[in-house]
Amino acid sequence: MTTTRLIILCAVLMPGNAYAGPPFRTDDPVPVELGHYEFYSFSTGTHTKGDTSGELPGFELTYGLIPNGQLQIGAATSFAAPSNGGTVFGYGDTTVSFKYRFIQEEKDGLRPQVAFFPAVQIPTGNHDRGLGAGHVQVFLPLWAQKSFGDWTTDVGGGYWVNQNDTLGDKNFWFVSWLLQRKMTEQLTLGAEVFHQTADTVDGKDSAGFNLGGTYDFNDHNHLLFSAGRGFQNVSETNEVSWYFGWEVTY
């Protein structure tokens, strides 16, 4: 794989992997409670055209900063494994985000809870090695959630500010929908579909799905898992993707 192709591959994959409601790409409007923490350690990646790129390990720390508001910081060791070259490892881009829930769910009615969850991706990764976007990216999404008994659905998306004429990047949209069901007191399973417009001048739109869930060992330790693939421009965007993580809450 040439250096140029490696950079393009990471530019396609990194925005989609950077901001997700673990273990899914669809996020939720529920903030961490005031004064509480969540810590995630995870591996995530995507395979396309014989090449693989992702994060191993990745970390996210979330803190309930104000009522209905949380601060989140994410960092990871990124990797790129081309089919005809050696695997590249290094520190990737750093993400900082803030979620604020401004509409509360109506438990006995139809009104969902809604949050604004802007995020900034800081270009700390080495773009020339395919480990970072090479410029600041900003995601401006809205997320909504409604629960009905054991069923919960999340829907939303937003606009990525990704314009960089030098690198051939452009702004794009991302939207997704997730449906989950609590199967037992410990196990929750879900499925999502998502769509993203092209994020580079020569890129293509992508769409796909993930199946996954969470398993609660106790109040503080949680296993997170999902896997899926694309169904639009699959070979260029997502032949298979995964997320495996461990969440600690306190």
Side-chain angles (χ1 to χ4, degrees), residues 37-87:
Y37 293 86
E38 290 180 350
F39 179 74
Y40 298 89
S41 57
F42 60 88
S43 169
T44 183
T46 303
H47 179 78
T48 64
K49 283 186 176 177
D51 307 315
T52 306
S53 181
E55 298 175 342
L56 176 66
F59 304 98
E60 287 183 358
L61 178 63
T62 307
Y63 176 66
L65 187 63
I66 62 174
N68 293 305
Q70 70 175 41
L71 177 67
Q72 186 176 82
I73 299 174
T77 298
S78 295
F79 70 88
S83 58
N84 58 347
T87 301

Side-chain angles (χ1 to χ4, degrees), residues 4 8-9 39 46 92 112 117 122 130 132-133 158 161 164 243:
T4 301
I8 292 173
L9 172 64
F39 179 74
T46 303
F117 195 6
I122 304 167
V161 180
N164 188 291
Y243 180 105

Side-chain angles (χ1 to χ4, degrees), residues 201-242:
V201 173
D202 297 324
K204 297 181 179 180
D205 291 3
S206 62
F209 71 92
N210 284 310
L211 305 174
T214 62
Y215 186 86
D216 303 325
F217 286 92
N218 51 48
D219 291 341
H220 303 290
N221 293 278
H222 317 273
L223 176 66
L224 315 173
F225 55 92
S226 69
R229 61 170 288 141
F231 48 74
Q232 180 184 20
N233 300 314
V234 175
S235 62
E236 294 91 347
T237 61
N238 182 1
E239 290 185 344
V240 63
S241 57
W242 72 88

Side-chain angles (χ1 to χ4, degrees), residues 118-138:
V120 178
Q121 184 164 290
I122 304 167
T124 51
N126 189 322
H127 173 70
D128 292 336
R129 299 179 65 212
L131 300 175
H135 59 90
V136 174
Q137 297 172 299
V138 179

Side-chain angles (χ1 to χ4, degrees), residues 85-163:
T87 301
V88 179
F89 279 95
Y91 185 75
D93 290 344
T94 303
T95 61
V96 179
S97 57
F98 184 80
K99 180 189 293 186
Y100 183 73
R101 180 174 57 192
F102 59 91
I103 296 178
Q104 298 283 348
E105 182 177 1
E106 186 179 24
K107 297 298 183 182
D108 298 323
L110 297 178
R111 186 182 68 220
Q113 56 181 308
V114 183
F116 181 47
F117 195 6
V120 178
Q121 184 164 290
I122 304 167
T124 51
N126 189 322
H127 173 70
D128 292 336
R129 299 179 65 212
L131 300 175
H135 59 90
V136 174
Q137 297 172 299
V138 179
F139 188 35
L140 303 171
L142 287 173
W143 299 105
Q145 181 186 93
K146 190 73 182 78
S147 296
F148 304 92
D150 291 334
W151 295 89
T152 299
T153 184
D154 297 274
V155 65
Y159 191 64
W160 276 90
V161 180
N162 184 53
Q163 189 74 31

